[in-house]
Amino acid sequence: MDKLTIGLVLPDVLGTYGDDGNALVLRQRARMRGLKAEILPIKLNEPVPDSLDIYTLGGGEDTAQILAAEHLIADGGLSRAAAAGHPVLAICAGLQVLGESFRASGRIVDGVGLIDATTAGMQERAIGEVASTPTGTGITAELTEPLTGFENHMGATILGPAAQPLGEITRGVGNADTNATADLRDGAMQRTAEGAVQGNVIATYMHGPALARNPQLADLLLAKAMGITLAELEPLDIPAVTQLRAERLRRS
Ligand code: GLN
């Protein structure tokens, strides 16, 4: 691979929570391994090119995420990219937007449909540290390290059979509150679910940004984009990142 191009999808509407940092982390970890890497920001009403190497979407407010969903559905580029197997990372509102539907600004809005998930409203905002153990499902089979982030949302996300949780909650709320899951047949499993994995799409409620706090997840995305395994990617030792993780996980 000559150069890695990271699509930063709709930073103008899905950029409220600092999740643009995920693209920076990917670019930096690629460059530290001698790979040329660049970020391509794609703004609202611009077409999403369907052949980039990785795509990231961040969190956003209700009104903003409705605009994001409408644009991504009308444009179709991100859906073509996902169908072609390019890895996609979606955070919080990004997760909700890529699902089948979500509730925002008092109505139910169609999502892009890349994740078998529906998001209803929670009674109370989920806010604070969130930590989970990777489930190792699908594309995330090589993940071994605990996942850590910060959640801030009102969405209760229920996964359908085509999607699997990214992590099993050890702290925080994650996808669902107990009210939303009480009457589900697999309610116990859904109550501990954090995020979603479906094909090459990885979605999570973790802000942080998530990839600054979870370098193994960043490297997994890089490895997938490069067509190699995580084990084949040259390891990187960044003491500040190790220290940050230790600090955050101590609080979990
Ligand atoms: N607006 C959504 C919610 O409150 C997403 C928030 C976010 O992206 N942090 O659930």
Side-chain angles (χ1 to χ4, degrees):
M1 168 176 279
D2 281 354
K3 188 178 67 181
L4 187 92
T5 306
I6 303 149
L8 177 59
V9 182
L10 307 182
D12 43 351
V13 277
L14 298 177
T16 329
Y17 293 82
D19 300 312
D20 293 6
N22 289 324
L24 292 172
V25 171
L26 288 169
R27 184 179 69 183
Q28 185 61 17
R29 294 184 76 84
R31 286 181 175 173
M32 287 173 92
R33 290 169 167 114
L35 205 67
K36 290 201 184 97
E38 66 172 28
I39 297 171
L40 180 68
I42 303 143
K43 298 226 175 115
L44 193 66
N45 297 329
E46 290 176 3
V48 181
D50 56 16
S51 59
L52 305 182
D53 299 302
I54 309 182
Y55 296 80
T56 67
L57 294 84
E61 299 93 341
D62 285 14
T63 335
Q65 76 184 74
I66 295 174
L67 296 174
E70 287 170 351
H71 175 57
L72 294 175
I73 292 169
D75 174 65
L78 186 66
S79 301
R80 288 194 299 278
H86 298 289
V88 178
L89 174 72
I91 311 296
C92 199
L95 180 167
Q96 299 175 3
V97 162
L98 294 194
E100 296 292 337
S101 69
F102 58 90
R103 193 170 180 86
S105 300
R107 63 184 179 99
I108 295 172
V109 182
D110 281 343
V112 182
L114 294 182
I115 304 172
D116 187 7
T118 52
T119 299
M122 273 184 189
Q123 300 197 331
E124 277 175 39
R125 177 166 289 273
I127 181 162
E129 291 290 315
V130 59
S132 68
T133 306
T135 60
T137 188
I139 185 186
T140 64
E142 285 182 278
L143 287 185
T144 52
E145 300 286 334
L147 296 161
T148 161
F150 186 87
E151 63 182 332
N152 181 2
H153 62 100
M154 290 281 285
T157 300
I158 303 295
L159 303 183
Q164 301 299 320
L166 168 65
E168 192 178 326
I169 283 283
T170 52
R171 161 137 191 212
V173 177
N175 290 5
D177 61 6
T178 39
N179 291 321
T181 50
D183 53 357
L184 282 176
R185 207 157 38 92
D186 57 352
M189 193 265 268
Q190 297 258 359
R191 267 197 291 282
T192 62
E194 201 300 298
V197 179
Q198 184 168 336
N200 279 355
V201 180
I202 299 178
T204 173
Y205 273 106
M206 293 185 294
H207 299 291
L211 298 188
R213 286 197 185 200
N214 300 283
Q216 194 184 44
L217 183 57
D219 284 353
L220 179 78
L221 289 162
L222 288 176
K224 294 293 164 193
M226 296 162 71
I228 59 174
T229 64
L230 184 55
E232 286 169 314
L233 199 64
E234 181 197 331
L236 272 186
D237 182 22
I238 308 174
V241 173
T242 312
Q243 192 185 338
L244 168 74
R245 268 184 74 71
E247 275 173 17
R248 300 325 306 176
L249 284 166
R250 251 200 314 276
R251 288 167 201 278
S252 299

